[in-house]
């Protein structure tokens, strides 16, 4: 498709039982005031009234693409939308969040002016019923607006802040860049934003960040990621993070020249690994704990974490947990 006939932006949104949020989501889209915007709604097997709401908004967004599929999770839904997108830039907002008027216009202006592969902004954590005060996602004393950087330069700066959150929804991506590298979302993986963002930034040549807070990430009781855990959900979470660590290790090996200048690429593997150990600590059933910790060792995840740990303090934190882990694998039965 010729460049001048392509939409400036394709917005790809995965929908699963989103009837409580879709009206606000579409209102946010309409407030962007971008005429040349392609909206792609992927209904991922919703069983509520989501489709009726999507259809009701169709007339407000000429050419809206609506795709229905069986429930397969957000990654496959995003891949479905990505496969049919035609815009020069891509965005992947979550439908239960709030993005401010002008967000996409401002990010597009930066992206087009500077031929960016990735452009990103700041946002806020907003808590249901104001249970906690709203706060920036990236503290502005840690990460300020930048000029154009290489992806690895921005990744180093972001990870070194120790306050960087791997997310898709604060970013716009140049579509041709995504296509040239064949990037897709990992099916069935929770928190797949971590490997996605890491690899994209290692590959990107031109990235810019603005500390303008355009996006409200809404933390609410209906969110799957904020429901109370059981042993079984903790086991699933541990397996997701084991996969993430394996993916991050493979990514580091694919980009050795960039990674050797970003020690935090190793640090984040060790840091996420500590999160897995914390997950084990929260499990109640000793036999289920024994099973998942044995899997943790058998898959080589402990070795992977230890290999990537840098510095005495981090290795000390890991080492003092090792004996507890081994003890848990010796539970009888």
């Amino acid at each position: 498709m010729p460049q001048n006939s392509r939409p400036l932006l394709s917005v790809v949104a995965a929908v699963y039982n989103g009837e409580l949020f879709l009206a606000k989501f579409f209102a946010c889209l309409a407030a962007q005031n971008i005429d040349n915007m392609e909206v792609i709604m992927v209904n991922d097997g919703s069983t509520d009234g989501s489709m009726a709401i999507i259809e009701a908004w169709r007339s407000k967004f000429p050419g809206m693409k609506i795709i229905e599929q069986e429930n397969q999770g957000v990654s496959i839904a995003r891949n479905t939308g990505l496969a049919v997108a035609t815009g020069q830039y891509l965005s992947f907002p979550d439908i239960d969040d709030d993005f401010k008027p002008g967000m996409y216009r401002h990010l597009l202006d930066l992206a087009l002016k500077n031929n960016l592969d990735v452009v990103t902004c700041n946002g806020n954590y907003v808590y249901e019923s104001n249970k906690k005060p709203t706060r920036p996602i990236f503290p502005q004393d840690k990460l300020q607006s930048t000029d154009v950087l290489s992806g690895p330069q921005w990744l180093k700066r972001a990870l070194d802040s120790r306050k960087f959150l791997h997310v898709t929804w604060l970013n716009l991506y140049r579509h041709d860049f995504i296509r040239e590298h064949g990037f897709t979302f990992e099916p069935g993986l929770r928190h797949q934003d971590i490997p996605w963002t890491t690899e994209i930034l290692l590959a990107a040549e031109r990235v810019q960040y603005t500390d303008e807070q355009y996006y409200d990430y809404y933390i609410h009781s209906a969110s799957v990621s904020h429901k109370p855990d059981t042993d079984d959900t903790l086991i699933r979470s541990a397996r997701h993070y084991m996969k993430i660590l394996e993916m991050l290790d493979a990514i580091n090996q694919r980009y050795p020249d960039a990674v050797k200048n970003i020690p935090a690429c190793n640090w984040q593997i060790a840091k996420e690994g500590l999160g897995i150990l914390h997950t084990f600590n929260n499990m109640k059933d000793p036999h289920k704990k024994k099973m998942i910790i044995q899997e943790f060792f058998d898959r080589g995840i402990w070795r992977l974490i230890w290999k990537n740990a840098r510095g005495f303090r981090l290795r000390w934190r890991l080492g003092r947990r090792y004996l507890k882990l081994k003890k848990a694998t010796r539970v009888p039965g």
Side-chain angles (χ1 to χ4, degrees), residues 75 186-192 194-195 224 232-248 272 276 279 292 295 299 301:
S75 294
E186 182 70 17
L189 183 67
R190 281 187 66 187
H191 308 296
Q192 40 71 43
I194 299 172
V224 172
D232 289 340
T233 62
L234 290 170
I235 287 170
R236 284 197 295 272
S237 177
R239 284 178 172 148
H240 283 295
Y241 274 100
M242 285 189 239
K243 173 69 173 175
I244 286 169
L245 296 198
E246 291 165 342
M247 292 177 68
L248 287 175
E272 301 295 356
I276 297 174
T279 297
I292 192 64
E295 180 179 328
R299 284 176 68 166
I301 304 299

Side-chain angles (χ1 to χ4, degrees), residues 115-119 149-156 159 166 173-184 194-208 250-259 262 265 268:
N115 190 31
L116 302 177
D117 295 324
V118 183
V119 58
L149 303 172
S150 72
Q153 285 175 320
W154 167 242
L155 181 62
K156 182 179 189 307
L159 290 178
H166 290 281
Y173 306 96
R174 187 168 63 84
H175 193 172
D176 288 347
F177 162 71
I178 297 295
R179 185 187 294 116
E180 286 159 10
H181 287 82
F183 292 136
T184 57
I194 299 172
W196 163 271
T197 305
T198 299
E199 181 152 24
I200 277 180
L201 291 178
L202 286 171
E205 295 180 6
R206 299 180 64 79
V207 175
Q208 191 167 3
I251 289 167
N252 286 355
Q253 292 177 47
R254 286 198 290 275
Y255 300 87
D257 292 340
V259 168
I262 312 175
C265 282
Q268 70 173 343

Side-chain angles (χ1 to χ4, degrees), residues 112-179:
L112 294 167
K113 176 185 175 183
N114 295 315
N115 190 31
L116 302 177
D117 295 324
V118 183
V119 58
T120 185
C121 67
N122 202 353
N124 295 291
Y125 291 113
V126 177
Y127 294 85
E128 184 179 43
S129 304
N130 296 314
K131 289 177 182 174
K132 295 182 182 179
T134 296
R135 62 185 176 89
I137 292 172
F138 305 133
Q140 290 182 309
D141 62 330
K142 299 288 186 182
L143 290 171
Q144 294 97 30
S145 296
T146 70
D147 294 324
V148 178
L149 303 172
S150 72
Q153 285 175 320
W154 167 242
L155 181 62
K156 182 179 189 307
R157 186 178 300 189
L159 290 178
D160 285 350
S161 77
R162 298 299 193 254
K163 296 295 182 180
F164 183 57
L165 185 70
H166 290 281
V167 294
T168 61
W169 28 262
L170 290 175
N171 308 324
L172 300 188
Y173 306 96
R174 187 168 63 84
H175 193 172
D176 288 347
F177 162 71
I178 297 295
R179 185 187 294 116

